Amino acid sequence: STTDALRALLEYRPEIAPTLAVLRPFAAAHPDLAEACRCEVLELDGSNKAARVWAEQRWLARLTRAGGFDVVHHAGGVVPLAHPGKVVLTIHDLQPLDLPGNFGAAKRLYARSMLGRSAATAEIVCVPSEFTAGRVGQRLDVDRARLRVVPWSVRSHREPVITSSSRSTPEPSKPVFLYPAITYAHKNHLELLEAFAGVVSRFPEAELLLPGGPGPLEAAVVERIGRPDLLGRVSRPGRVTAGELEEMYTRSTAVVVPSGYEGFGLPALEAMARGVPVLVSDAGSLPEVLGGSGLAPVVGGPEAWRAAMLHVASLDAADRGQLIEAQRARAALFTPRRTADALADAYRDASSRPEGDGTGSHRDSATDNS
């Protein structure tokens, strides 16, 4: 999300010239950004977290102090103890505080000790959604005047979205559902699998596609997929390429997002932009992203999800087309230009606030992507 926001900023707000503080692998992973931006490179690969955190306290502080930047943007959710300059902080979500059971003791302790202090330090705190703005305001006691919603967008560097005429719509007799997600507990794969078992009882040829890396619930998900009522009906390919995921979109009846917590909900947005109907849970930012476009968020457990999946699988061509167009229109509001303008406004507002720990002498911003 940070790299996509930078691409949008470079395209639509050329008056801002960011300097990136990055680790050594950054240039290989994002060659376009490395070429377009001045980069200050720390010769670490990021594998040693303690070394990276120490570098943030020392190397990054020296860099930002010497650079004379108007704004220093810490995009990873925390601000180092030494933080010269006016600070913009991005907090993507508060999962370590809201769902502490999903994290180890060290991560929980680090989040509790750093998130509140970091938010109090920043002139401006950026969040991707109104949902996250509410959580940050409530849990970290950040007043609304310092919060800025910088929504994510359908990334401009991706392949063109699928149009109604170009996508291959599955036959109603064979529904195909897609859920791209790591098997974290809050992603609710097990609940979805129980719901899908009910779909299979109605449509024996139905398929469920579950791409995404392994998480803590991987073993339980694999075990459930192997039971007789789902055997052969669920595909768990793990991580897939962008091209492979695009192919899955083209043959999906719907994308389902039963997650119990999302700071933004990018998979839902990307599916809507591609002309694939989306079902989401009534949790986190997902209803906000959907915005009332078509199907209502699903409220309840497996039985509610089963009913929703059967409903979307049974839509006739006219109703399906209307749903696709409504959701595509909603997705079209989340443009890279909107992201760029919101981020540029955050930088402007931060730079215009009374001076705190440091001063700046020119218009550039420094973004920490280490």
Side-chain angles (χ1 to χ4, degrees):
S1 57
T2 299
T3 51
D4 287 335
L6 281 169
R7 291 183 177 96
L9 198 69
L10 291 169
E11 181 177 359
Y12 294 104
R13 299 301 294 263
E15 75 276 13
I16 297 175
T19 294
L20 309 184
V22 299
L23 299 179
R24 186 174 59 242
F26 181 85
H30 306 284
D32 58 325
L33 293 177
E35 181 179 353
C37 301
R38 172 189 167 192
C39 291
E40 297 288 346
V41 181
L42 178 63
E43 290 299 324
L44 294 176
D45 63 9
S47 59
N48 187 326
K49 186 173 182 179
R52 180 180 62 79
V53 171
W54 177 250
E56 288 177 352
Q57 306 299 330
R58 303 297 296 270
W59 173 80
L60 187 59
R62 289 196 300 270
L63 171 64
T64 53
R65 185 178 293 110
F69 302 104
D70 285 342
V71 173
V72 180
H73 182 185
H74 296 279
V78 297
V79 177
L81 297 176
H83 53 273
K86 295 178 181 179
V87 170
V88 169
L89 171 67
T90 291
I91 297 177
H92 299 290
D93 60 52
L94 290 184
Q95 275 198 59
L97 301 184
D98 287 340
L99 301 176
N102 288 355
F103 300 88
K107 177 68 173 181
R108 294 197 303 269
L109 178 61
Y110 182 76
R112 285 198 300 268
S113 63
M114 292 296 290
L115 283 172
R117 186 204 62 80
S118 296
T121 293
E123 274 73 23
I124 296 295
V125 179
C126 295
V127 293
S129 64
E130 291 292 344
F131 164 76
T132 302
R135 299 305 300 146
V136 169
Q138 180 180 1
R139 296 216 59 157
L140 303 184
D141 195 26
V142 178
D143 62 274
R144 184 66 204 205
R146 291 195 298 120
L147 285 167
R148 299 291 183 276
V149 174
V150 181
W152 296 353
S153 59
V154 180
R155 289 175 280 186
S156 59
H157 64 284
R158 282 188 178 273
E159 297 179 23
V161 298
I162 300 162
T163 64
S164 299
S165 60
S166 66
R167 76 183 308 272
S168 174
T169 304
E171 292 296 324
S173 61
K174 184 180 178 180
V176 179
F177 297 95
L178 170 63
Y179 184 30
I182 298 173
T183 49
Y184 292 125
H186 72 278
K187 295 295 186 177
N188 287 336
H189 284 81
L190 295 176
E191 181 175 285
L192 176 63
L193 289 168
E194 292 302 326
F196 183 64
V199 173
V200 170
S201 67
R202 169 83 175 273
F203 293 101
E205 299 303 310
E207 292 184 58
L208 176 61
L209 310 176
L210 298 178
L217 263 65
E218 183 70 14
V221 168
V222 170
E223 187 277 331
R224 182 63 186 90
I225 290 171
R227 294 183 196 173
D229 58 344
L230 291 180
L231 191 61
R233 300 270 57 85
V234 182
S235 173
R236 174 76 181 120
R239 294 184 177 88
V240 297
T241 67
E244 289 169 335
L245 184 58
E246 288 296 335
E247 189 276 333
M248 292 179 184
Y249 278 119
T250 64
R251 63 190 188 91
S252 293
T253 305
V255 168
V256 289
V257 187
S259 175
Y261 190 102
E262 293 293 332
F264 181 76
L266 190 59
L269 179 62
E270 291 187 327
M272 290 192 294
R274 284 163 171 76
V276 185
V278 179
L279 288 165
V280 303
S281 66
D282 185 28
S285 64
L286 290 168
E288 180 183 337
V289 171
L290 200 65
S293 58
L295 300 172
V298 179
V299 180
E303 183 56 35
W305 273 97
R306 171 188 167 279
M309 294 163 76
L310 288 173
H311 171 73
V312 75
S314 302
L315 292 174
D316 61 28
D319 287 342
R320 180 179 176 82
Q322 186 176 22
L323 172 62
I324 287 171
E325 293 309 314
Q327 293 192 336
R328 183 184 285 114
R330 175 64 179 174
L333 300 177
F334 292 86
T335 63
R337 179 60 185 261
R338 181 182 174 190
T339 301
D341 287 345
L343 186 56
D345 288 347
Y347 290 165
R348 180 203 63 206
D349 293 348
S351 66
S352 66
R353 283 182 169 258
E355 292 183 0
D357 295 314
T359 60
S361 59
H362 50 77
R363 64 179 172 84
D364 298 353
S365 66
T367 298
D368 170 21
N369 286 282
S370 61

